[in-house]
Amino acid sequence: MTQRLTARQVISLVAEDFTELPPVGVPPGDRPDGPLDWRGYGDARALAAARTGERESVVCGTGSVEGTRAMLIAFEFGYLGGSLGVRTGDRLEAAYTHARAHRLPVVPLVATGGSRMQEGMLALTQLQRVARQSALTREAGLAQIAVLRDPTTGGGWATLGAGADVTLALPGAQVGFAGSRVRPPDADPSAYTAEAQLASGAVDALVRPGRLRHELGRWLRLLTAPSGEAAPPPRALGGATGAPVSGRDAVRRARAPERPRAARYLDAYFTHRVALTGDRCGGADPEGMLCGFGEHEGRTVAYAAQTGTATRPAGYRTAARLIRLADRLGIPVLTLVDTPGAANDAEAERAGVGAAIADLFTVLASVRTPVTTLLIGEGGSGGALALAAPGNTWATPDSYFSVIAPELAAAILKRGPDEVDATADQLRLRPQDLVEAGLIRGVVEG
């Protein structure tokens, strides 16, 4: 279990200054023991206020996080377990409304056990209220970055936490829809942790408390810097120069083990970058798809980059998530294509690889933000094309793009192994062939 900071302690941890919003007034007709006349509820609230110094389970206000002004929503777990009631909903709605009026990103610092039982369904419906405010903020093109503290469970996780654009978590935090007292008796407690949520694609990064201000500041700076200009394609990093002389030569270059892969391209292109991990559907493909935001020549650019392996369904879904977010925030996108093809094993089929690829095709066909693509290695069939920007794709000299790998094409055509090279030539898969056919804009050099 991670250290449980109070609401004001966590605010001080991340913000240089803080201006609290004026407290929201008592709802008309509010009774001492709440809307359900739950006996002893008034006394419990008074005790919680005396113990914590707070009048509700959230503290809301504006603060600067390494120079970026944001709306901070900090939960006080010591106040009735950070639970959400009607008054909590009042404060949250006021915070989101203020953020939209002043064009501020929203940072929920979550520590909650869920909805407040003493207010019954009136408390539970605050989740719909929060979801509405989050949706309006999303429509306004403002970023939401959640920080998950210990514990983050119930409706607070299912709205403010999992519903954010980016989700950071403190190591060791208890994170899950089910709280510790309502899980099955044989439930594995390790499944309800920040680490488990990271592995399943629901959390983007684990951040130690001492690094939280810095990491949150980086995310806020990157996500609040829109730009309408397309990202320039990176320069080629490989040792290959000049055009490949044959289809076989193009394939050999692209498959060379020493050829630079996505991580090298991203390191060379960006001054610094942060990673977005997971598809929010229970999966992640950290070995096959690198996604995130970085700074290139003073501008924020989002990136989705294949790493040279067969891309799994979670990788495609993560890329689609990344590009949708960049589009909503007005941030240009760079994609790097490098895969022999989509994963085609039984597990990939069960995980919906076809639907994941279809969704990514749709995203790239419909976004308004400019997308730039560089083919840096293998471009194997639809699994590669799904990540390519229509009309703005470039290639390096050590790459190829093909409807199918030459070996597979030969097999389908019932040709022998000795005809693979001739098939590669017939496929016209070399970078210069692609330029001549009008399929890519050009070949970049080093």
Side-chain angles (χ1 to χ4, degrees):
M1 183 177 69
T2 188
Q3 180 184 5
R4 286 183 177 171
L5 302 174
T6 68
R8 297 188 188 272
Q9 284 174 332
V10 76
I11 289 170
S12 297
L13 187 68
V14 301
E16 290 85 4
D17 57 84
F18 179 71
T19 302
E20 188 172 357
L21 292 183
V24 179
V26 176
D30 186 55
R31 296 185 288 271
D33 279 327
L36 303 185
D37 287 324
W38 185 290
R39 185 176 180 182
Y41 179 37
D43 292 339
R45 284 188 298 183
L47 181 61
R51 183 169 57 244
T52 64
E54 306 295 348
R55 294 177 58 190
E56 247 308 323
S57 59
V58 291
V59 178
C60 306
T62 60
S64 293
V65 183
E66 291 204 335
T68 302
R69 200 76 185 171
M71 171 58 65
L72 303 175
I73 298 172
F75 278 73
E76 176 51 69
F77 188 76
Y79 191 102
L80 301 180
S83 57
L84 281 77
V86 174
R87 293 184 184 180
T88 323
D90 292 340
R91 291 194 175 198
L92 292 173
E93 181 172 317
Y96 275 98
T97 301
H98 184 93
R100 291 194 299 275
H102 296 273
R103 304 295 302 168
L104 298 176
V106 179
V107 180
L109 304 161
V110 190
T112 174
S115 300
R116 198 167 295 171
M117 293 177 296
Q118 297 93 331
E119 296 186 20
M121 281 300 297
L122 287 170
L124 188 64
T125 57
Q126 299 309 303
L127 303 182
Q128 295 173 319
R129 193 177 179 188
V130 171
R132 173 63 176 163
Q133 292 303 313
S134 177
L136 291 172
T137 303
R138 188 175 294 112
E139 290 175 6
L142 299 171
Q144 300 173 68
I145 305 174
V147 176
L148 310 182
R149 298 152 55 208
D150 185 57
T152 298
T153 61
W157 163 232
T159 52
L160 291 153
D165 299 317
V166 175
T167 306
L168 311 178
L170 301 183
Q174 178 187 174
V175 179
F177 187 66
S180 59
R181 297 184 182 181
V182 296
R183 298 170 192 158
D186 59 347
D188 179 5
S190 67
Y192 303 85
T193 63
E195 288 76 7
Q197 299 293 352
L198 176 67
S200 65
V203 164
D204 290 301
L206 302 181
V207 183
R208 299 190 310 274
R211 296 281 300 171
L212 187 56
R213 178 182 294 193
H214 175 68
E215 292 301 319
L216 187 55
R218 288 210 300 169
W219 274 106
L220 286 169
R221 284 193 301 275
L222 289 168
L223 297 190
T224 56
S227 171
E229 296 182 15
R235 62 182 181 85
L237 298 180
T241 58
V245 297
S246 65
R248 176 188 178 184
D249 186 31
V251 173
R252 178 187 58 78
R253 289 186 183 192
R255 294 177 178 174
E258 68 274 11
R259 175 180 57 78
R261 308 290 163 147
R264 278 185 58 187
Y265 273 93
L266 296 175
D267 287 343
Y269 191 79
F270 291 111
T271 305
H272 63 90
R273 55 190 172 98
V274 292
L276 183 144
T277 305
D279 63 2
R280 295 298 186 266
C281 299
D285 186 18
E287 302 301 322
M289 183 76 77
L290 305 178
C291 294
F293 294 84
E295 182 182 292
H296 175 73
E297 296 182 350
R299 290 197 304 142
T300 300
V301 175
Y303 64 87
Q306 291 169 318
T307 64
T309 64
T311 308
R312 306 206 64 80
Y316 291 114
R317 285 192 287 263
T318 303
R321 174 192 163 211
L322 178 280
I323 296 168
R324 283 193 175 98
L325 176 57
D327 185 46
R328 182 154 45 81
L329 299 179
I331 294 171
V333 177
L334 170 70
T335 67
L336 302 180
V337 172
D338 185 9
T339 180
N344 58 6
D345 53 40
E347 180 183 351
E349 293 294 342
R350 285 192 291 267
V353 64
I357 291 174
D359 185 48
L360 185 53
F361 269 122
T362 300
V363 169
L364 279 171
S366 59
V367 293
R368 296 160 297 175
T369 198
V371 182
T372 303
T373 296
L374 180 64
L375 174 66
I376 63 171
E378 290 195 82
S381 194
L385 187 65
L387 198 61
N392 195 25
T393 294
W394 305 74
T396 63
D398 49 359
S399 66
Y400 78 87
F401 224 143
S402 177
V403 63
I404 194 171
E407 298 86 352
L408 299 179
I412 291 172
L413 296 171
K414 298 182 179 179
R415 295 178 176 179
D418 59 336
E419 297 180 89
V420 170
D421 291 349
T423 303
D425 287 334
Q426 285 183 294
L427 287 169
R428 301 295 299 276
L429 49 71
R430 300 175 303 171
Q432 64 267 38
D433 297 327
L434 302 173
V435 174
E436 183 179 345
L439 297 173
I440 66 173
R441 292 185 61 180
V443 180
V444 300
E445 299 292 341

